[in-house]
Amino acid sequence: MQLNENLLKLEQNYLFAEIAARVRKFRDANPEAELLPLGINDVTRPLAPAVCDAMSAAAQEMRRAESFHGYGDVQGELFLRRAIADYYRSFNVSAEPEDIFVSDGAKSDLASLCDLFAPESTVLLPNPVYPVFYDTSVMAGRCILFSVGTRENGFLPMPDDRVHADLIYLCSPNNPTGAVYSRAQLQAWVEYAHAHHACIIYDAAYEAYIRSAALPRSIFEIAGAETCAIEINSFSKMAGFTGVRCSWVIVPRALKQGTQPLYRLWMRRQSTKYNGTSYIVQRGAAAVFTPEGRRQVRADVQYYMENADLIRHALTRSGMFTTGGVHAPYVWMECPYGMRSWDCFDGLLTRCGIAASPGVGFGECGEGWVRFSSFGSRETITRAAAKLSALDWDALALRYMR
Ligand code: PLP
């Protein structure tokens, strides 16, 4: 046999394994100490009642022959695609149900979309980067370039016309930095994509956390995006579906390479490799867009954003520099005195019992930063914020800076 050598090029999942090892060591050494997990990527609030009710009703439909559902529409049930299109309309984006493909998660969509493009495509990724963008690109054998995020550019790298890319990954609001592109900035990316005949893969998984109408929620708010961009969104973080699994991809029919619509290729790909999303799950997802569902999921997003405010205020009151946490559930902090990410991680764990995420785990541009997630319970976040406020950062730097 011959193995797919691209898989061998991937590093082991060093970041999470290393965090777990250091947390274990801390626990063994301090069995009584409180541990406050602020690194988690997963939601903690239970599912909205409207979603649970809709899924229960759908499960009951399945037990009767006359309302049973077998294989469904591979693209997603029309009732859900229509509800998603209406949702876009609520912020003045016209997305047609025909262009929407329902699926079982943004992570699988990111991996699946690689099938659309030639292996030798050059990919431009932001750095720091959501690791799935990088790993799926490595698995697909891509040539990978990075656009550099820094404190100076607010972790919102902009296109450089001297650099050519075929595929551009953008994530806004961003994981891990919490940064959000403005419309003018996205317009520049759309213009770059057109000039380079490139395709933008726009990950809008945290769109529901945007708190200002001045910021774009979708790449399709930008003129010309429908002929150069694909958008991914997920119910995971907008409605707590991390354990339920449902997402969508918009491949506009206007998006073409030469005369070839990508839509047609994507439909062909999906109908071969995917067999549709669970009917029960799609009923639950559609309930997110009912007035009751909207109210309930908004309250959960609001809860996480109040958590983010608590973390952000605790850090800024202590003189720390942060980005994110305003329109995103992640607060991205610059480590004091030029500390490295892992040293700051060790200091926070040992002094406060706080397990954050070392920024360097998201790429070398994350070195010197740490990410705090706001997905914990209010109790955890309040305890963590109190500890961060009381922390002697000078002493932490003196002790843990190597
Ligand atoms: N995209 C981004 C930017 C994410 O942070 C995540 C999850 O953390 C995902 C996609 C994956 O979402 P899903 O649960 O739909 O697979």
Side-chain angles (χ1 to χ4, degrees):
M1 72 178 88
Q2 288 201 343
L3 297 178
N4 175 354
E5 297 206 347
N6 293 324
L7 289 175
L8 300 176
K9 288 183 211 153
L10 281 176
E11 287 168 32
Q12 289 312 311
N13 210 333
Y14 163 78
L15 175 66
F16 295 105
E18 184 61 25
I19 291 173
R22 292 190 192 205
V23 168
R24 212 175 310 117
K25 200 169 151 205
F26 168 75
R27 281 214 131 141
D28 291 346
N30 309 278
E32 305 300 321
E34 179 178 40
L35 183 69
L36 299 164
L38 262 68
I40 49 167
N41 232 359
D42 198 356
V43 293
T44 50
R45 305 279 298 155
L47 274 178
V51 169
C52 296
D53 291 346
M55 289 202 293
S56 302
Q60 292 308 317
E61 279 184 61
M62 294 297 239
R63 73 189 294 166
R64 291 186 299 274
E66 61 278 16
S67 52
F68 168 76
H69 291 262
Y71 290 127
D73 185 335
V74 77
Q75 200 180 342
E77 298 302 336
L78 195 53
F79 64 78
L80 179 54
R81 289 187 285 124
R82 281 191 175 139
I84 294 170
D86 287 345
Y87 176 61
Y88 275 86
R89 209 159 298 126
S90 73
F91 45 88
N92 300 319
V93 172
S94 88
E96 301 301 324
E98 290 72 18
D99 295 349
I100 297 170
F101 292 75
V102 176
S103 174
D104 63 358
K107 201 183 217 184
S108 18
D109 289 332
L110 283 163
S112 304
L113 281 168
C114 292
D115 282 356
L116 277 183
F117 305 97
E120 60 273 18
S121 305
T122 298
V123 177
L124 186 60
L125 302 180
N127 191 340
V129 63
Y130 172 51
V132 176
F133 294 175
Y134 179 76
D135 288 356
T136 53
S137 298
V138 171
M139 283 185 203
R142 304 279 193 254
C143 165
I144 299 175
L145 304 174
F146 288 108
S147 54
V148 171
T150 59
R151 174 172 166 159
E152 288 65 39
N153 66 17
F155 291 97
L156 294 167
M158 294 303 293
D160 176 350
D161 257 323
R162 294 162 302 178
V163 176
H164 172 77
D166 302 307
L167 293 176
I168 302 145
Y169 284 71
L170 299 176
C171 180
S172 178
N174 189 272
N175 180 9
T177 67
V180 189
Y181 279 112
S182 68
R183 288 196 179 84
Q185 288 171 318
L186 288 185
Q187 187 71 57
W189 277 111
V190 165
E191 280 160 20
Y192 170 89
H194 279 296
H196 289 259
H197 303 289
C199 182
I200 294 174
I201 312 255
Y202 190 78
D203 187 332
Y206 298 97
E207 158 275 318
Y209 291 79
I210 292 177
R211 295 199 265 190
S212 161
L215 292 168
R217 295 171 165 266
S218 164
I219 189 76
F220 298 119
E221 292 188 37
I222 309 304
E226 67 290 349
T227 49
C228 72
I230 290 174
E231 178 160 305
I232 295 175
N233 203 333
S234 169
F235 291 91
S236 283
K237 305 294 161 68
M238 82 179 298
F241 270 50
T242 52
V244 178
R245 314 303 302 142
C246 198
S247 62
W248 72 86
V249 176
I250 301 183
V251 185
R253 277 159 300 167
L255 172 60
K256 294 180 182 155
Q257 165 66 333
T259 55
Q260 187 63 253
L262 272 66
Y263 173 89
R264 192 180 306 148
L265 296 184
W266 182 242
M267 180 71 95
R268 188 70 188 81
R269 188 260 172 225
Q270 286 299 81
S271 48
T272 299
K273 293 196 180 179
Y274 194 60
N275 236 344
T277 308
S278 150
Y279 173 75
I280 297 174
V281 165
Q282 292 191 72
R283 279 289 176 204
V288 167
F289 299 115
T290 60
E292 199 188 3
R294 294 286 313 124
R295 231 184 355 264
Q296 292 166 357
V297 300
R298 273 208 195 112
D300 290 333
V301 166
Q302 170 80 10
Y303 177 97
Y304 295 131
M305 289 313 295
E306 283 165 14
N307 283 351
D309 290 340
L310 288 170
I311 300 168
R312 202 161 43 83
H313 291 150
L315 293 172
T316 47
R317 266 199 308 268
S318 309
M320 297 297 114
F321 181 81
T322 65
T323 68
V326 182
H327 305 286
Y330 301 115
V331 180
W332 183 244
M333 183 196 83
E334 187 171 30
C335 306
Y337 304 109
M339 282 181 95
R340 296 166 74 82
S341 300
W342 277 113
D343 293 345
C344 191
F345 172 91
D346 286 338
L348 288 168
L349 183 61
T350 316
R351 292 275 158 113
C352 307
I354 292 176
S357 304
V360 69
F362 301 94
E364 59 199 46
C365 297
E367 179 58 284
W369 295 73
V370 291
R371 189 196 72 174
F372 295 94
S373 156
S374 68
F375 286 127
S377 69
R378 181 60 47 82
E379 195 188 351
T380 300
I381 301 291
T382 308
R383 297 275 311 131
K387 289 193 170 186
L388 289 170
S389 294
L391 182 61
D392 182 342
W393 290 91
D394 293 355
L396 178 114
L398 270 175
R399 166 68 183 78
Y400 291 95
M401 202 158 152
R402 272 183 279 255

